[in-house]
Amino acid sequence: MTRAAPTTLRPASAKEVRDAVLDTPGRLAISGAGTARRWAGRPAEPDATIDLSGLSGVITHNPGDMTVSVHAGTPVRELQEQLAEHGQRLALDAARIDRGATVGGLVATADAGPSALVYGGMRDLVIGTTTVLADGTMVRSGGHVIKNVAGYDMAKLMHGSYGTFGPLVEVVLRLHPAPKATACIAIDGPVDAAAGHVQRLMASPLEPIAAEWVSGDPGTLLVRLEGGVDTLPVRTGRLLELLGDGAREIGPEGWARHAALTGGTPGQPDPAQVTVAAGPAGTSATAVAGAGIADPAGSGAADPAAGAVVRIGCAPARLAPLLAGLPATAVTAGLATGVATVTVPGAAVAEVHEAVAAAGGTSVLRDRPDALDAPAWGPAPSALALLKAVKTQLDPEARFAAGRFDPWM
Amino acid sequence: MDPRIRSEFVTLLGAADVIDDPIRTRTYECDGLTSSRVVPELVLLPRTADDVAGCVRICARHRIPFVARGAGTGLSGGALPVARGVVIGLNRLNRVLEVDPDNRRAVLEPGVTNSEITAAAAPYGLYYAPDPSSQQVCTIGGNVAENSGGAHCLKYGFTTNHVLSIEVVLPDGSQVTLGGDSAEQQGPDLRGVFLGSEGTLGIVTAVTVRLLRTPEVMRTLLADFPSVAAGGQVVSDIVAAGIVPAAVEMMDALAIEAAEGATGAGYSLDTPAALVVELDGTVEECEEQFAQVKEICDRHGCTRLHVAGSPEERANIWRGRKAAFAAVGRISPDYIVQDGVVPRTRLAEVLERIEEMGVAAGLRVANVFHAGDGNLHPLVLFSAAEGQTERAEHLSSQIAELCVEMGGSLSGEHGIGTDKACSMPAMFGEDDLAVMDRVRAGFDPDHICNPGKLLPTPRLCGEKPGRYRPHPLEEAGLIERL
């Protein structure tokens, strides 16, 4: 049977989202800015797509309480601009925010950036959500207070759900003061040397906001500090001393390359030659620039073996050795959080999942060429049956986001 | 209890760890909410996670409701036993399984107390941030169940922000891990749903927590103000200045009187309000912000400002604050601890309303609370002997619902339990509650895991948890759903 071309619905209010869900039979996909379109499992062909990009803007900002409620389709970049006028921010710096990622999309994909070291990810910043379920039920949880244990924390259920339970329509966020001053310190070296620096840094009282290694030749450790205008230079001096020879203060543009590599445009890994680690006895895991790349235009569609981006999480101390063993062509690694983003040849994705699982970690496929047919997830978690049971309760006909958790469910 | 079922538990645990002596089971009849009591049929005292799973499997097979219990310090009746059910006591699972300084984390059995985690981490210069006032006795399993907070949560977050993974026995007796080795997660955050679920979704058998580095310095001040409103304004101004204190606690005159009487911590007895402000961090940042905080206090008519000059003095200030609840027993024969949250900017308004409500009810209300995050703990003072119990309970519920009216929450850290389940419809719509019930049914289809807590009891006898289905009497047109 030939399926009709999927319709795209663009509701402009929570009620219109609800109507769209109720009035449209069949399988529904949810989209925002489209920055995570290729993430996780490949979405099954839907009967209709609910595009939430029209559901945008701040609903209530309470500067004194440092909370804001927004429509789920609000680009974080725009939100940050409004908050900055009040000296506040959403303490989230996921790479794809610059590409227009929305609040709802960042929650649904459990994304986070380098500052998750201190502030956590979206899960730690969301204090309330409103979601439309498959039967049209509009469910609200949380509220405008940061301390709240009334009822189940449904926002957590939505975090990382990839839309499986339904579209988020409203999100309440806790805010933080914008820092008065920020400094970025860099020191070059391979990942194992960087891991040593980070161990010392985390044992020090210097309170870094982020500590990320970026691959290159030989790679660079970036550390971000935040603080007062007068006091930060003192702390920066202490940090430079701690890191030793080669450490230097650089401008904020140091993070742009980090964001570009983490964003990981498929098929376009880092142009520089990459050394993840100098392995023992000259078995360097150096990869050649452009390895596996057959489509320089970046679509990656021509060659299923072109580069894919995999997100990895494991115990922080295990990360550097794990990375050294992966066929990565580009890496950003939160050596204090244990979270890394690696670009690998498409054909190596399954191998990456296996290596990460063997290190006790978790992994998920992110950006990839459309034609790449690689497993999106590593081994299924022990709670898979539970996850399916909750899914059945909330979306018994499996209408939402089919395919995202393939092959698990 | 059917003797055959009892013998299954005895076979699993041994006779000594299956308690059915009515005198001993009575020990478990309530938690910190002593006004509600139910004697369980059996109390089971497993020693390992596998034993816990075995107990739950027996319960699941026979559809016996079970309630997990740690130290029993909960204040909302979350560990209240169920009639004809069993209590599974977790105090014997009390080992610190691992402290891993390289990865800054610890793995704990659920019966480890909150203070013991920091004690185990301290030799490595690390500590565990969430610090409920009952931290000397409350357990990490209970902290997970209640998503506990404490004075330092404004800056550092709550239990949910510090738990990486939990090993859980689900209500069917299966054992799963929720969460993982990093904050990166696979799929929906079921760990986050479990945290704060008040024992209704399963039993925790191991917890992996993040540890933080002990701050370089901690500076603590105690400041008196001519009114609660002035103190509240100080809190707002501190936050507006972009300062996130490690803790901001407020006490009113009654709470100060009680705490000072009990501890002699050095609080002023003649002040209407006192703030405890603590800053921590690097030397440079802390000194700069501390100067700003002192200036803000002065600007709002601070009548006395005492800076802790030594770790002992700092500990003393906190001893007074953390003892405040219990100390209220010195100034009133009975009291109820309420736990609500309001947006910080509405603190002064809500405290005024609470005072009016207290006057109208003819009862005194003492206030000691986490001002930084708007988490109030009004203590309703009464005398049961003088027949004031019902009035006090009513006032306490009114205060909780007032917090919701102000845009806040029914609970910031103590949970809903049995105590406030009936108030949940004041905060959530019928659909919201029904969906929570569906989530619960995903975990616990037979409704045997701590039933009767958190969500309002089904309105009609015979209603099943899960998606709304009309009751047979509704379908027959004999009753209406209100």
Side-chain angles (χ1 to χ4, degrees):
Chain A
M1 190 179 79
T2 311
R3 292 173 76 96
T7 332
T8 296
L9 304 160
R10 201 160 180 272
S13 69
K15 186 181 172 301
E16 284 183 23
V17 175
R18 182 174 184 272
D19 291 345
V21 169
L22 283 176
D23 297 344
T24 314
R27 286 201 302 230
L28 300 173
I30 304 161
S31 75
T35 53
R37 190 173 59 83
R38 297 191 193 89
W39 290 24
R42 190 183 299 286
E45 186 68 22
D47 294 294
T49 296
I50 300 181
D51 172 359
L52 295 175
S53 59
L55 203 66
S56 178
V58 167
I59 301 164
T60 325
H61 177 206
N62 303 324
D65 295 315
M66 302 192 84
T67 62
V68 67
S69 58
V70 299
H71 294 296
T74 309
V76 172
R77 193 172 49 194
E78 287 175 21
L79 174 65
Q80 298 286 34
E81 285 166 12
Q82 291 190 45
L83 298 172
E85 292 169 18
H86 298 270
Q88 297 179 355
R89 65 168 168 178
L90 175 68
L92 188 85
D93 52 0
R96 70 186 223 272
I97 289 173
D98 282 345
R99 291 192 275 140
T102 63
V103 169
L106 288 158
V107 174
T109 56
D111 203 2
S115 69
L117 174 60
V118 170
Y119 296 106
M122 234 357 177
R123 79 178 289 280
D124 301 287
L125 301 168
V126 174
I127 53 175
T129 51
T130 306
T131 309
V132 177
L133 301 186
D135 62 2
T137 303
M138 190 99 76
V139 58
R140 186 179 59 88
S141 75
H144 276 268
V145 288
I146 62 168
K147 205 172 188 188
N148 187 356
V149 297
Y152 297 142
D153 193 344
M154 299 291 288
K156 299 290 192 289
L157 193 60
M158 301 306 150
H159 187 257
S161 68
Y162 286 88
T164 316
F165 302 124
L168 283 160
V169 292
E170 197 177 314
V171 177
V172 191
L173 299 158
R174 75 171 293 187
L175 304 175
H176 287 83
K180 294 184 174 62
T182 302
C184 180
I185 290 88
I187 183 166
D188 295 334
V191 71
D192 49 355
H197 289 311
V198 170
Q199 275 292 353
R200 286 189 295 124
L201 175 60
M202 294 309 292
S204 83
L206 293 174
E207 302 191 349
I209 298 297
E212 296 270 327
W213 182 75
V214 181
S215 61
D217 186 15
T220 307
L221 173 67
L222 300 172
V223 180
R224 189 189 308 156
L225 295 181
E226 293 175 354
V229 175
D230 298 330
T231 54
L232 190 65
V234 182
R235 209 143 49 93
T236 304
R238 289 171 71 185
L239 178 57
L240 289 168
E241 197 175 318
L242 177 99
L243 294 176
D245 285 349
R248 61 200 184 276
E249 189 168 357
I250 61 171
E253 70 282 356
W255 289 97
R257 188 158 163 276
H258 178 278
L261 290 193
T262 305
T265 308
Q268 290 191 320
D270 185 27
Q273 184 167 318
V274 173
T275 303
V276 174
T283 57
S284 167
T286 300
V288 178
I293 305 308
D295 179 15
S299 74
D303 181 2
V309 178
V310 181
R311 181 80 151 185
I312 290 169
C314 70
R318 289 188 181 172
L319 187 58
L322 172 65
L323 291 172
L326 299 182
T329 55
V331 174
T332 62
L335 293 167
T337 57
V339 176
T341 312
V342 300
T343 304
V344 295
V349 171
E351 174 197 337
V352 171
H353 286 317
E354 278 172 33
V356 175
T362 57
S363 52
V364 58
L365 185 57
R366 282 195 165 181
D367 281 313
R368 39 125 172 245
D370 282 334
L372 178 65
D373 191 18
W377 301 90
S382 59
L384 181 60
L386 174 63
L387 183 58
K388 287 179 178 172
V390 174
K391 166 77 172 173
T392 303
Q393 285 289 332
L394 299 185
D395 182 18
E397 292 165 12
R399 295 185 65 200
F400 288 119
R404 285 290 194 189
F405 287 103
D406 269 353
W408 298 352
M409 57 183 214
Chain B
M1 177 84 51
D2 183 327
R4 284 169 300 184
I5 299 174
R6 182 185 174 281
S7 73
E8 285 188 50
F9 289 122
V10 170
T11 304
L12 178 73
L13 301 177
D17 294 339
V18 177
I19 299 171
D20 61 355
D21 169 1
I23 294 169
R24 291 180 67 203
T25 52
R26 253 195 102 172
T27 312
Y28 295 84
E29 68 182 353
C30 66
D31 59 11
L33 184 76
T34 54
S35 55
S36 299
R37 294 164 196 257
V38 175
V39 180
E41 287 220 11
L42 282 184
V43 175
L44 308 171
L45 299 174
R47 294 168 191 271
T48 67
D50 287 346
D51 283 351
V52 175
C55 292
V56 172
R57 276 197 295 274
I58 295 169
C59 290
R61 199 156 53 238
H62 300 288
R63 304 271 171 101
I64 298 166
F66 60 87
V67 179
R69 179 190 163 102
T73 56
L75 291 166
S76 57
L80 180 73
V82 178
R84 293 184 296 282
V86 303
V87 165
I88 300 178
L90 298 168
N91 298 71
R92 290 177 175 173
L93 277 76
N94 59 1
R95 293 174 300 160
V96 174
L97 297 175
E98 185 187 3
V99 177
D100 176 359
D102 287 345
N103 287 304
R104 297 175 300 284
R105 61 196 53 191
V107 187
L108 316 149
E109 289 189 324
V112 173
T113 66
N114 181 288
S115 296
E116 283 168 351
I117 306 172
T118 289
Y124 306 98
L126 301 169
Y127 77 111
Y128 178 62
D131 59 340
S133 293
S134 57
Q135 67 187 138
Q136 302 285 342
V137 281
C138 68
T139 62
I140 186 66
N143 291 175
V144 166
E146 302 295 330
N147 187 14
S148 301
H152 290 93
C153 290
L154 169 64
K155 180 170 178 180
Y156 292 106
F158 315 96
T159 303
T160 192
N161 306 114
H162 295 270
V163 169
L164 284 161
S165 68
I166 43 181
E167 285 172 29
V168 169
V169 175
L170 295 176
D172 66 356
S174 60
Q175 292 169 275
V176 299
T177 301
L178 307 180
D181 269 357
S182 74
E184 193 64 14
Q185 65 182 54
Q186 292 201 295
D189 183 15
L190 295 173
R191 160 197 51 161
V193 178
F194 196 99
L195 275 145
S197 62
E198 306 191 30
T200 62
L201 303 181
I203 300 180
V204 176
T205 53
V207 187
T208 302
V209 300
R210 287 199 303 141
L211 301 172
L212 300 183
R213 190 194 179 282
T214 310
E216 188 173 33
V217 285
M218 286 177 271
R219 299 297 308 272
T220 310
L221 66 76
L222 176 63
D224 296 346
F225 293 93
S227 67
V228 168
Q233 197 54 50
V234 166
V235 179
S236 292
D237 283 13
I238 290 172
V239 173
I243 298 169
V244 182
V248 192
E249 302 286 296
M250 202 190 298
M251 299 167 79
D252 70 5
L254 266 179
I256 292 168
E257 179 191 338
E260 184 61 19
T263 64
Y267 292 5
S268 311
L269 287 172
D270 56 353
T271 185
L275 276 184
V276 176
V277 183
E278 183 159 285
L279 299 176
D280 65 12
T282 58
V283 174
E284 300 85 20
E285 300 290 344
C286 209
E287 288 309 311
E288 182 182 81
Q289 294 184 352
F290 203 73
Q292 282 177 274
V293 168
K294 286 204 274 194
E295 189 274 321
I296 292 167
C297 287
D298 286 341
R299 205 191 316 149
H300 290 285
C302 175
T303 51
R304 172 190 175 228
L305 195 146
H306 173 66
V307 178
S310 65
E312 293 73 30
E313 271 190 41
R314 172 179 175 266
N316 212 26
I317 290 175
W318 280 113
R319 197 162 53 88
R321 162 62 187 88
K322 293 203 173 188
F325 286 4
V328 165
R330 297 171 68 92
I331 60 169
S332 175
D334 303 285
Y335 63 96
I336 298 170
V337 184
Q338 190 46 276
D339 162 47
V341 192
V342 294
R344 189 172 41 224
T345 48
R346 304 195 77 174
L347 273 176
E349 185 185 352
V350 79
L351 290 167
E352 202 174 302
R353 288 276 298 276
I354 289 172
E355 190 177 351
E356 288 166 11
M357 288 159 71
V359 169
L363 295 170
R364 295 184 299 168
V365 181
N367 284 290
V368 45
F369 55 94
H370 310 300
D373 45 28
N375 187 192
L376 299 170
H377 290 309
L379 299 143
V380 177
L381 314 186
F382 71 101
S383 165
E386 291 175 31
Q388 296 171 343
T389 307
E390 203 173 315
R391 214 174 344 139
E393 286 175 351
H394 181 64
L395 174 59
S396 180
S397 294
Q398 273 187 313
I399 291 173
E401 292 182 17
L402 170 69
C403 292
V404 175
E405 185 192 319
M406 293 275 172
S409 172
L410 283 173
S411 176
E413 56 186 2
H414 295 176
I416 301 300
T418 51
D419 189 31
K420 285 189 276 193
C422 290
S423 293
M424 285 287 272
M427 184 165 169
F428 295 104
E430 190 173 342
D431 281 352
D432 305 325
L433 295 172
V435 172
M436 287 185 202
D437 212 7
R438 284 157 70 175
V439 170
R440 184 176 191 159
F443 280 76
D444 180 21
D446 293 329
H447 211 222
I448 56 171
C449 186
N450 208 9
K453 316 293 162 57
L454 195 149
L455 294 171
T457 308
R459 191 176 63 88
L460 299 168
C461 177
E463 268 192 359
K464 296 264 189 216
R467 293 187 73 178
Y468 166 72
R469 302 173 206 87
H471 189 276
L473 292 174
E474 280 180 272
E475 283 182 329
L478 296 172
I479 58 166
E480 284 179 43
R481 191 174 179 86
L482 298 174

Short mmCIF file of all heavy atoms in Angstrom, two decimals, chain B residues 141-179:
data_model
loop_
_atom_site.label_atom_id
_atom_site.label_comp_id
_atom_site.label_asym_id
_atom_site.label_seq_id
_atom_site.Cartn_x
_atom_site.Cartn_y
_atom_site.Cartn_z
N GLY B 141 18.68 5.98 51.12
CA GLY B 141 17.51 5.38 50.47
C GLY B 141 16.28 6.26 50.63
O GLY B 141 15.53 6.49 49.67
N GLY B 142 16.11 6.78 51.84
CA GLY B 142 14.99 7.69 52.09
C GLY B 142 15.18 9.00 51.34
O GLY B 142 14.22 9.57 50.81
N ASN B 143 16.43 9.47 51.26
CA ASN B 143 16.70 10.70 50.51
C ASN B 143 16.32 10.52 49.04
O ASN B 143 15.78 11.43 48.41
CB ASN B 143 18.19 11.06 50.58
CG ASN B 143 18.67 11.50 51.96
OD1 ASN B 143 19.86 11.72 52.16
ND2 ASN B 143 17.77 11.61 52.92
N VAL B 144 16.62 9.35 48.50
CA VAL B 144 16.24 9.07 47.11
C VAL B 144 14.72 9.05 46.98
O VAL B 144 14.14 9.64 46.07
CB VAL B 144 16.85 7.73 46.64
CG1 VAL B 144 16.21 7.24 45.35
CG2 VAL B 144 18.36 7.88 46.45
N ALA B 145 14.07 8.39 47.92
CA ALA B 145 12.61 8.28 47.84
C ALA B 145 11.95 9.65 47.90
O ALA B 145 10.96 9.90 47.23
CB ALA B 145 12.10 7.39 48.98
N GLU B 146 12.52 10.54 48.72
CA GLU B 146 11.87 11.84 48.92
C GLU B 146 12.52 12.95 48.10
O GLU B 146 12.08 14.10 48.16
CB GLU B 146 11.93 12.22 50.40
CG GLU B 146 11.27 11.21 51.35
CD GLU B 146 9.77 11.12 51.14
OE1 GLU B 146 9.16 12.12 50.73
OE2 GLU B 146 9.21 10.03 51.35
N ASN B 147 13.57 12.66 47.34
CA ASN B 147 14.34 13.70 46.65
C ASN B 147 14.67 14.82 47.64
O ASN B 147 14.33 15.99 47.44
CB ASN B 147 13.60 14.25 45.44
CG ASN B 147 14.46 15.21 44.62
OD1 ASN B 147 15.68 15.27 44.81
ND2 ASN B 147 13.83 15.97 43.75
N SER B 148 15.34 14.43 48.69
CA SER B 148 15.55 15.34 49.83
C SER B 148 16.39 16.56 49.48
O SER B 148 17.21 16.52 48.56
CB SER B 148 16.24 14.58 50.96
OG SER B 148 15.44 13.50 51.35
N GLY B 149 16.19 17.58 50.25
CA GLY B 149 16.93 18.82 50.04
C GLY B 149 17.79 19.13 51.24
O GLY B 149 18.53 18.27 51.72
N GLY B 150 17.68 20.35 51.72
CA GLY B 150 18.49 20.78 52.84
C GLY B 150 18.94 22.21 52.58
O GLY B 150 18.62 22.81 51.56
N ALA B 151 19.74 22.71 53.52
CA ALA B 151 20.10 24.12 53.46
C ALA B 151 20.96 24.47 52.26
O ALA B 151 20.91 25.58 51.75
CB ALA B 151 20.83 24.49 54.75
N HIS B 152 21.78 23.54 51.79
CA HIS B 152 22.75 23.88 50.74
C HIS B 152 22.26 23.58 49.32
O HIS B 152 23.03 23.58 48.38
CB HIS B 152 24.07 23.16 51.02
CG HIS B 152 24.78 23.72 52.20
ND1 HIS B 152 24.62 23.22 53.47
CD2 HIS B 152 25.61 24.79 52.33
CE1 HIS B 152 25.34 23.95 54.32
NE2 HIS B 152 25.94 24.90 53.66
N CYS B 153 20.98 23.33 49.19
CA CYS B 153 20.47 22.90 47.88
C CYS B 153 20.23 24.06 46.93
O CYS B 153 20.12 23.86 45.72
CB CYS B 153 19.21 22.08 48.05
SG CYS B 153 19.59 20.49 48.77
N LEU B 154 20.12 25.28 47.44
CA LEU B 154 19.91 26.43 46.56
C LEU B 154 21.05 26.48 45.54
O LEU B 154 20.83 26.61 44.34
CB LEU B 154 19.88 27.72 47.38
CG LEU B 154 19.94 29.02 46.58
CD1 LEU B 154 18.72 29.17 45.70
CD2 LEU B 154 20.08 30.22 47.51
N LYS B 155 22.26 26.35 46.00
CA LYS B 155 23.41 26.43 45.11
C LYS B 155 23.73 25.08 44.48
O LYS B 155 24.08 25.00 43.31
CB LYS B 155 24.62 26.94 45.89
CG LYS B 155 25.90 27.06 45.05
CD LYS B 155 27.00 27.79 45.80
CE LYS B 155 28.28 27.86 44.97
NZ LYS B 155 29.36 28.57 45.68
N TYR B 156 23.60 24.03 45.25
CA TYR B 156 24.14 22.75 44.80
C TYR B 156 23.11 21.75 44.29
O TYR B 156 23.48 20.71 43.77
CB TYR B 156 24.98 22.12 45.91
CG TYR B 156 26.24 22.91 46.17
CD1 TYR B 156 26.38 23.70 47.30
CD2 TYR B 156 27.26 22.91 45.24
CE1 TYR B 156 27.53 24.45 47.51
CE2 TYR B 156 28.41 23.65 45.43
CZ TYR B 156 28.54 24.42 46.57
OH TYR B 156 29.67 25.15 46.75
N GLY B 157 21.82 22.07 44.43
CA GLY B 157 20.82 21.17 43.90
C GLY B 157 20.40 20.12 44.91
O GLY B 157 20.94 20.04 46.02
N PHE B 158 19.46 19.30 44.48
CA PHE B 158 18.78 18.36 45.37
C PHE B 158 19.29 16.94 45.10
O PHE B 158 20.13 16.74 44.23
CB PHE B 158 17.27 18.50 45.16
CG PHE B 158 16.89 19.95 45.11
CD1 PHE B 158 16.76 20.62 43.91
CD2 PHE B 158 16.79 20.67 46.29
CE1 PHE B 158 16.48 21.98 43.89
CE2 PHE B 158 16.53 22.03 46.27
CZ PHE B 158 16.37 22.69 45.07
N THR B 159 18.74 16.00 45.80
CA THR B 159 19.22 14.62 45.64
C THR B 159 19.24 14.22 44.16
O THR B 159 20.18 13.62 43.68
CB THR B 159 18.33 13.66 46.46
OG1 THR B 159 18.36 14.08 47.83
CG2 THR B 159 18.84 12.24 46.37
N THR B 160 18.19 14.61 43.45
CA THR B 160 18.08 14.20 42.04
C THR B 160 19.26 14.70 41.20
O THR B 160 19.63 14.09 40.21
CB THR B 160 16.73 14.66 41.43
OG1 THR B 160 16.56 14.02 40.16
CG2 THR B 160 16.69 16.16 41.23
N ASN B 161 19.86 15.81 41.61
CA ASN B 161 20.99 16.35 40.87
C ASN B 161 22.31 15.65 41.22
O ASN B 161 23.33 15.92 40.60
CB ASN B 161 21.14 17.86 41.13
CG ASN B 161 19.86 18.61 40.84
OD1 ASN B 161 19.25 19.15 41.75
ND2 ASN B 161 19.43 18.60 39.61
N HIS B 162 22.28 14.80 42.22
CA HIS B 162 23.53 14.20 42.71
C HIS B 162 23.56 12.68 42.64
O HIS B 162 24.54 12.07 43.04
CB HIS B 162 23.79 14.66 44.15
CG HIS B 162 24.04 16.12 44.25
ND1 HIS B 162 25.29 16.67 44.15
CD2 HIS B 162 23.18 17.17 44.35
CE1 HIS B 162 25.20 18.00 44.21
NE2 HIS B 162 23.93 18.31 44.33
N VAL B 163 22.47 12.10 42.16
CA VAL B 163 22.43 10.64 42.05
C VAL B 163 22.68 10.25 40.60
O VAL B 163 21.94 10.64 39.71
CB VAL B 163 21.08 10.09 42.53
CG1 VAL B 163 20.94 8.62 42.17
CG2 VAL B 163 20.96 10.27 44.04
N LEU B 164 23.74 9.51 40.37
CA LEU B 164 24.06 9.07 39.01
C LEU B 164 23.26 7.84 38.62
O LEU B 164 22.75 7.75 37.51
CB LEU B 164 25.56 8.76 38.91
CG LEU B 164 26.46 9.99 38.86
CD1 LEU B 164 27.88 9.62 39.22
CD2 LEU B 164 26.41 10.63 37.48
N SER B 165 23.20 6.90 39.53
CA SER B 165 22.42 5.69 39.20
C SER B 165 21.89 5.06 40.47
O SER B 165 22.41 5.30 41.57
CB SER B 165 23.28 4.70 38.42
OG SER B 165 24.29 4.17 39.25
N ILE B 166 20.85 4.27 40.28
CA ILE B 166 20.28 3.54 41.41
C ILE B 166 19.99 2.10 40.96
O ILE B 166 19.58 1.88 39.82
CB ILE B 166 18.97 4.18 41.93
CG1 ILE B 166 18.06 4.63 40.79
CG2 ILE B 166 19.27 5.33 42.85
CD1 ILE B 166 16.77 5.30 41.22
N GLU B 167 20.26 1.19 41.86
CA GLU B 167 19.83 -0.18 41.62
C GLU B 167 18.52 -0.35 42.36
O GLU B 167 18.39 0.02 43.53
CB GLU B 167 20.88 -1.16 42.13
CG GLU B 167 22.07 -1.24 41.20
CD GLU B 167 23.21 -2.06 41.77
OE1 GLU B 167 22.94 -2.99 42.55
OE2 GLU B 167 24.37 -1.75 41.43
N VAL B 168 17.56 -0.91 41.64
CA VAL B 168 16.20 -0.87 42.13
C VAL B 168 15.56 -2.25 42.02
O VAL B 168 15.79 -2.96 41.04
CB VAL B 168 15.40 0.13 41.24
CG1 VAL B 168 13.93 0.03 41.50
CG2 VAL B 168 15.89 1.54 41.46
N VAL B 169 14.77 -2.60 43.01
CA VAL B 169 13.90 -3.76 42.89
C VAL B 169 12.52 -3.24 42.51
O VAL B 169 11.92 -2.45 43.25
CB VAL B 169 13.83 -4.56 44.21
CG1 VAL B 169 12.80 -5.69 44.09
CG2 VAL B 169 15.19 -5.11 44.59
N LEU B 170 12.06 -3.64 41.35
CA LEU B 170 10.74 -3.18 40.88
C LEU B 170 9.64 -3.99 41.58
O LEU B 170 9.92 -5.05 42.13
CB LEU B 170 10.66 -3.33 39.36
CG LEU B 170 11.64 -2.45 38.58
CD1 LEU B 170 11.56 -2.74 37.08
CD2 LEU B 170 11.35 -0.96 38.84
N PRO B 171 8.42 -3.50 41.52
CA PRO B 171 7.34 -4.18 42.25
C PRO B 171 7.04 -5.61 41.80
O PRO B 171 6.33 -6.33 42.50
CB PRO B 171 6.13 -3.26 42.00
CG PRO B 171 6.74 -1.91 41.79
CD PRO B 171 8.00 -2.17 41.03
N ASP B 172 7.61 -6.05 40.68
CA ASP B 172 7.45 -7.46 40.31
C ASP B 172 8.64 -8.30 40.79
O ASP B 172 8.74 -9.49 40.50
CB ASP B 172 7.28 -7.62 38.79
CG ASP B 172 8.53 -7.21 38.01
OD1 ASP B 172 9.51 -6.75 38.65
OD2 ASP B 172 8.54 -7.35 36.78
N GLY B 173 9.56 -7.66 41.51
CA GLY B 173 10.71 -8.38 42.06
C GLY B 173 11.92 -8.39 41.14
O GLY B 173 12.97 -8.89 41.51
N SER B 174 11.79 -7.81 39.94
CA SER B 174 12.96 -7.78 39.05
C SER B 174 13.92 -6.69 39.51
O SER B 174 13.53 -5.71 40.15
CB SER B 174 12.52 -7.54 37.60
OG SER B 174 11.84 -6.31 37.47
N GLN B 175 15.20 -6.87 39.18
CA GLN B 175 16.23 -5.92 39.61
C GLN B 175 16.79 -5.21 38.38
O GLN B 175 17.23 -5.87 37.43
CB GLN B 175 17.35 -6.66 40.35
CG GLN B 175 16.88 -7.20 41.69
CD GLN B 175 17.89 -8.14 42.32
OE1 GLN B 175 17.91 -9.33 42.01
NE2 GLN B 175 18.72 -7.63 43.20
N VAL B 176 16.77 -3.89 38.40
CA VAL B 176 17.27 -3.11 37.27
C VAL B 176 18.13 -1.96 37.77
O VAL B 176 18.08 -1.59 38.96
CB VAL B 176 16.10 -2.52 36.42
CG1 VAL B 176 15.23 -3.62 35.85
CG2 VAL B 176 15.27 -1.53 37.22
N THR B 177 18.91 -1.41 36.86
CA THR B 177 19.69 -0.22 37.17
C THR B 177 19.09 0.94 36.39
O THR B 177 18.83 0.84 35.19
CB THR B 177 21.16 -0.41 36.73
OG1 THR B 177 21.68 -1.54 37.42
CG2 THR B 177 21.99 0.81 37.09
N LEU B 178 18.84 2.03 37.07
CA LEU B 178 18.36 3.25 36.42
C LEU B 178 19.48 4.28 36.49
O LEU B 178 20.07 4.49 37.53
CB LEU B 178 17.10 3.79 37.12
CG LEU B 178 15.94 2.79 37.29
CD1 LEU B 178 14.76 3.46 38.01
CD2 LEU B 178 15.47 2.25 35.95
N GLY B 179 19.75 4.94 35.36
CA GLY B 179 20.87 5.87 35.32
C GLY B 179 22.14 5.12 34.95
O GLY B 179 22.09 3.94 34.57
#
